[in-house]
């Protein structure tokens, strides 16, 4: 190689290295590689060039789920409105780890975004347990109003003390029971069923109260656990049951709607603090815009996909008001038990607000 060509090649290589070091989330390839550790100083920007950032967003659900569709909406907005200064890379199906691992990665600054159900967040702030109390929200709309109001915001704000930025509540939805053993119409039918739950004390408690044998497990292990008979069943909203192909390994769905499960769109605080204010605004706006679209798609899919469960050969059981009441009564002791653990005053404040929002 001629000397002049060699100089050009060398300076190109050093420019590429410089720009890789200057990204907040440094991975410019789709590989889920760790970010630059927080303590490393970003290299100085070449004059006149604006700093670029990569957001790696990982979730447990697959790319058919409304949660992933929400991330696609956010990606489109954020990349456009940042004029290409932010790139969002999306990872589904626990490619970057399970909910708890991804939250820890955010806290360490080695991943930028994740979107768990609220249940695993209780390991960080136990006030989030409020959303695990059975039969709390009468409708999705009341849930959204509470979450998007002051009470929901207060919980999101508290996360910044734990290295996380709570950007918005998205929607997982009402959780329903599936199993491969028998049709469940009453708590008595639950006797002895091995049910996978999320890693959360409240869920364990109320499944015990129903007579089942609950096992906490990360979401990524669930399908195999059902397939191999490690568990008889699980509980998740309709889009998850249908889109994660649970009818292949489960025969019965009971529409219990025992918990309304929100998602929380989380960002690493280490990454957030590196973002210039104008890009923080773009991310915040993108999270809210995508939230509204994600909820809309989720509700549409929930209705449409119930029929798919039947078409796929499942017995889908709707409970009568009396049958549902038997489940509600059986799980009341769980609500009382965890009231004191979460904080009696706080729980009463939330219950009062739900009453108000329900127009009661
Ligand atoms: O992407 C979110 C999932 O990882 C998880 O939160 C789904 O509700 C869920 C479960 O049952 O673990």
């Amino acid at each position: 190689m001629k000397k002049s060509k060699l100089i050009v090649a060398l300076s190109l290589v050093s420019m590429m290295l410089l720009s890789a070091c200057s990204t907040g989330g440094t991975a410019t390839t789709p590989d889920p590689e760790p970010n630059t550790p927080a303590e490393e100083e970003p290299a100085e920007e070449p004059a006149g060039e604006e700093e670029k950032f990569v957001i790696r967003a990982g979730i447990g659900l697959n790319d058919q789920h409304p949660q992933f569709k929400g991330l696609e909406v956010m990606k489109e907005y954020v990349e456009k409105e940042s004029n290409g200064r932010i790139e969002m890379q999306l990872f589904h199906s626990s490619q970057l780890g399970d909910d708890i691992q991804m939250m820890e990665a955010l806290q360490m600054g080695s991943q930028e975004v994740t979107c768990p159900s609220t249940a695993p967040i209780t390991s960080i702030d136990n006030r989030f347990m409020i959303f695990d109390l059975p039969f709390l929200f009468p409708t999705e709309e009341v849930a959204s109003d509470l979450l998007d109001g002051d009470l929901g915001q207060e919980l999101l704000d508290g996360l910044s003390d734990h290295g996380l930025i709570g950007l918005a509540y998205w929607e997982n939805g009402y959780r329903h029971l599936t199993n491969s053993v028998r049709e469940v119409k009453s708590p008595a039918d639950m006797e002895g069923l091995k049910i996978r739950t999320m890693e959360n004390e409240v869920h364990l408690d109320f499944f015990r109260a129903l007579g089942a044998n609950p096992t906490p497990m990360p979401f990524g292990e669930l399908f195999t656990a059902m397939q191999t008979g490690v568990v008889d069943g699980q509980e998740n909203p309709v889009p998850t049951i249908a889109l994660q192909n649970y009818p292949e390994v489960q025969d019965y769905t009971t529409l219990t709607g025992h918990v309304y499960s929100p998602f929380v769109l989380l960002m690493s605080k280490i990454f957030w603090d590196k973002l210039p204010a104008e890009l923080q605004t773009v991310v915040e706006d993108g999270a809210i815009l995508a939230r509204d679209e994600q909820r809309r798609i989720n509700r549409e899919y929930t209705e449409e996909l119930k029929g798919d469960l039947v078409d796929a050969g499942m017995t889908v059981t709707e409970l009568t008001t009396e049958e549902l009441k038997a489940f509600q009564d059986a799980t009341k002791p769980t609500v009382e038990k965890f009231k004191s653990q979460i904080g009696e005053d706080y729980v009463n404040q939330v219950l009062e607000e739900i009453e108000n929002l329900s127009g009661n």
Side-chain angles (χ1 to χ4, degrees):
M1 197 186 287
K2 271 201 182 145
K3 202 176 168 195
S4 58
K5 277 196 181 157
L6 183 65
I7 289 168
V8 171
L10 281 176
S11 51
L12 267 176
V13 168
S14 61
M15 269 173 70
M16 279 161 70
L17 282 173
L18 261 179
S19 84
C21 290
S22 66
T23 52
T26 49
T28 47
T29 65
D31 302 339
E33 284 188 345
N35 274 330
T36 310
E39 355 14 292
E40 260 180 46
E41 278 298 311
E44 240 175 64
E45 279 304 297
E49 260 189 46
E50 287 191 306
E51 197 174 359
K52 292 205 165 82
F53 299 88
V54 175
I55 293 175
R56 284 157 301 177
I59 57 170
L61 289 152
N62 68 21
D63 59 355
Q64 300 306 304
H65 195 278
Q67 189 181 40
F68 194 79
K69 310 279 170 213
L71 286 178
E72 287 176 329
V73 172
M74 180 165 171
K75 173 181 165 70
E76 196 183 326
Y77 179 89
V78 162
E79 291 185 350
K80 181 162 177 276
E81 295 303 316
S82 69
N83 295 318
R85 288 182 65 197
I86 299 179
E87 180 195 349
M88 260 186 98
Q89 297 175 355
L90 310 185
F91 300 89
H92 55 86
S93 309
S94 308
Q95 286 167 312
L96 298 188
D98 64 44
D99 286 338
I100 291 182
Q101 289 166 335
M102 288 192 282
M103 284 193 290
E104 285 169 357
L106 262 56
Q107 289 171 316
M108 291 185 308
S110 58
Q111 183 182 325
E112 292 72 40
V113 162
T114 188
C115 195
S117 299
T118 45
I121 305 179
T122 55
S123 59
I124 293 171
D125 179 347
N126 78 354
R127 288 178 305 166
F128 277 94
M129 276 184 184
I130 186 90
F131 304 122
D132 300 305
L133 296 180
F135 304 104
L136 184 71
F137 288 114
T139 64
E140 289 153 342
E141 288 75 18
V142 168
S144 301
D145 287 347
L146 183 119
L147 294 165
D148 301 344
D150 293 345
L151 284 170
Q153 189 58 45
E154 196 185 314
L155 289 184
L156 293 187
D157 292 346
L159 290 170
S160 65
D161 293 341
H162 304 276
L164 300 168
I165 299 296
L167 291 170
Y169 292 96
W170 289 11
E171 180 166 285
N172 196 354
Y174 283 106
R175 304 181 78 88
H176 306 290
L177 180 77
T178 71
N179 83 93
S180 58
V181 178
R182 56 181 167 259
E183 184 180 13
V184 170
K185 294 177 96 169
S186 70
D189 297 329
M190 302 273 302
E191 195 56 45
L193 287 182
K194 289 179 280 169
I195 303 295
R196 174 270 176 177
T197 68
M198 292 188 285
E199 293 152 294
N200 177 290
E201 282 304 316
V202 193
H203 285 245
L204 285 169
D205 195 81
F206 72 71
F207 275 100
R208 280 191 203 113
L210 288 168
N213 179 6
T215 308
M217 187 184 291
F219 183 73
E221 294 170 24
L222 173 56
F223 191 88
T224 310
M226 291 189 288
Q227 198 169 37
T228 54
V230 169
V231 293
D232 300 317
Q234 63 85 48
E235 44 83 60
N236 252 299
V238 168
T240 303
I241 299 170
L243 299 168
Q244 299 281 146
N245 300 324
Y246 292 175
E248 278 179 23
V249 287
Q250 299 277 275
D251 299 320
Y252 305 97
T253 295
T254 303
L255 298 171
T256 47
H258 49 276
V259 160
Y260 171 90
S261 208
F263 287 132
V264 182
L265 187 71
L266 296 171
M267 177 165 268
S268 160
K269 185 167 184 312
I270 291 173
F271 177 72
W272 175 259
D273 290 342
K274 288 182 196 166
L275 277 181
E278 71 277 13
L279 294 187
Q280 288 181 343
T281 306
V282 168
V283 167
E284 274 172 337
D285 291 350
I288 299 296
L289 176 107
R291 172 196 73 191
D292 295 342
E293 184 58 5
Q294 190 274 337
R295 284 180 182 160
R296 193 192 61 73
I297 300 171
N298 204 60
R299 289 171 198 180
E300 194 179 287
Y301 276 33
T302 300
E303 280 321 302
E304 281 174 19
L305 293 172
K306 273 184 201 158
D308 287 20
L309 299 183
V310 178
D311 294 346
M314 276 188 136
T315 302
V316 178
T317 305
E318 299 232 24
L319 298 173
T320 63
T321 313
E322 293 78 55
E323 285 167 343
L324 193 62
K325 189 166 178 307
F327 283 87
Q328 288 165 340
D329 290 346
T331 54
K332 268 191 185 138
T334 301
V335 178
E336 288 313 312
K337 179 173 169 185
F338 282 91
K339 252 188 182 177
S340 55
Q341 203 163 316
I342 302 168
E344 193 101 20
D345 288 349
Y346 183 69
V347 173
N348 288 336
Q349 202 187 344
V350 172
L351 293 177
E352 209 174 291
E353 184 62 6
I354 292 174
E355 285 277 303
N356 292 339
L357 292 168
S358 312
N360 296 333

